[in-house]
Amino acid sequence: YPTPPEVADKLLTGIDWDKIESVLEPSAGKGNLVKAVLENYARNAKYSYSSEVKIHVDAVEIDPYLRSILRYEFCGRRKSELHDRKQQLEESKTYDYDRREYLWPSEDARLEVRATEEEIRRLDRLWFNVVHDDFLTFQSRKHYDLIVMNPPFADGDAHLLKAIELQKADGGIIRCLLNAETIRNPYTNRRKILLAQLSELGAEISFLDGAFVDSERGTDVAVALIKVKIPEPKRSSVIFERLQ
């Protein structure tokens, strides 16, 4: 179920974007959460105004059609079309010799150029890659500051456990939406293991009713919004300990 923008914003509330450089989206779909990450980064990161400072987002998506949409949206083609549209609108202006300035054919055209320029600036701040298809078979030694996810409701517990496993290697943040029943009704061993790990990690869990009613694929299923921060593990060194 594609994540509505208002739900995505709730999911990302409280993140210090100046400390986020690398992000993983394990069930990226058409990119709703990728867009939310980019917009929140642009609004809140101290240096996000500079196109030289980029946020790196890796995406995993199992559906080949949706992977093609992700590449279109975030790998350059969409930005190229935006540049073309901006140029087309700019060329529609006429020069007023009495006022000695260029005039827009309409207010809508002027506003569209402003919106197009802002979207181009946002995309300039993104370094994006589709890195795998099935998250449950995904393996990586790369450190992610943030994993943000809205996994399939049917096996969201397996996806969140996988994310926890990845973040335990070097520490990091997880923000996840799950079917609320996964948390409220832990009748399987996997759900019990998940709840035990979330409790151990001090996860913050809240519930949203009707969050997906008006989404692209509407459902009245309640969801759990989960926030986890996994600390960086302490590294031991036999040589250092002997020197001490």
Side-chain angles (χ1 to χ4, degrees), residues 70-81:
L70 290 169
R71 292 189 177 100
Y72 163 78
E73 289 284 348
F74 306 112
C75 292
R77 185 176 167 190
R78 169 71 175 155
K79 188 166 71 172
S80 177
E81 291 181 358

Side-chain angles (χ1 to χ4, degrees), residues 194-209:
L194 174 61
L195 259 65
Q197 291 204 25
L198 291 175
S199 176
E200 179 184 340
L201 293 167
E204 178 185 330
I205 303 174
S206 56
F207 295 95
L208 303 176
D209 293 321

Side-chain angles (χ1 to χ4, degrees), residues 142-193:
K142 180 175 179 178
H143 168 66
Y144 293 103
D145 300 308
L146 169 66
I147 297 179
V148 56
M149 56 196 303
N150 174 16
F153 283 174
D155 56 356
D157 49 1
H159 284 248
L160 182 50
L161 284 168
K162 175 76 174 185
I164 291 171
E165 175 191 340
L166 286 175
Q167 293 298 64
K168 279 185 174 180
D170 295 296
I173 298 169
I174 300 173
R175 295 293 176 91
C176 179
L177 292 169
L178 287 184
N179 185 334
E181 282 298 295
T182 304
I183 303 299
R184 289 172 170 166
N185 187 16
Y187 66 90
T188 67
N189 286 334
R190 193 163 64 192
R191 289 185 180 184
K192 291 173 183 176
I193 292 169

Side-chain angles (χ1 to χ4, degrees), residues 10-26:
K10 289 180 181 178
L11 187 65
L12 298 172
T13 297
I15 292 174
D16 184 351
W17 291 98
D18 290 315
K19 296 180 180 179
I20 304 296
E21 295 181 0
S22 57
V23 180
L24 176 66
E25 215 292 37

Side-chain angles (χ1 to χ4, degrees), residues 18 41-54 118 121-122 124-125:
D18 290 315
Y41 175 76
R43 286 199 307 263
N44 300 302
K46 184 177 179 181
Y47 299 107
S48 67
Y49 61 84
S50 170
S51 61
E52 295 179 1
V53 180
K54 297 182 183 292
E118 180 57 34
R121 280 194 291 269
R122 283 199 298 267
D124 281 340
R125 300 179 184 114

